[in-house]
Amino acid sequence: MPQDKASLYYKDARSDKEYHVSIVPKDGQHIVTVAWGRRGSTLQTGVKTNLPVPYDKAKKVFDGI
């Protein structure tokens, strides 16, 4: 099954943050998960799709982030 992942990092004089997004298989479909926060600390996590969706729909959400 496809699994897409992306990680972004931002650093300036006052900030050092990271953001991660993944398409994860679940129950024969897919969910889009996210994690964000200060680099090196515990990240906050969330889900961008409330329920599992077909891969094409999850990919549209993933690409829109």
Side-chain angles (χ1 to χ4, degrees):
M1 278 189 237
Q3 184 169 6
D4 296 86
K5 295 181 182 182
S7 295
L8 302 171
Y9 300 92
Y10 176 78
K11 184 174 182 174
D12 67 12
R14 301 182 321 161
S15 181
D16 189 4
K17 301 199 175 166
E18 59 184 292
Y19 188 87
H20 306 279
V21 60
S22 299
I23 298 176
V24 181
K26 182 174 183 181
D27 299 332
Q29 296 198 58
H30 300 83
I31 59 171
V32 179
T33 63
V34 293
W36 68 94
R38 185 178 306 251
R39 196 181 320 207
S41 68
T42 301
L43 301 177
Q44 296 182 41
T45 59
V47 179
K48 290 290 189 176
T49 52
N50 293 328
L51 299 170
V53 295
Y55 177 79
D56 293 343
K57 228 177 194 181
K59 181 71 170 149
K60 283 183 183 181
V61 173
F62 177 91
D63 289 343
I65 295 178

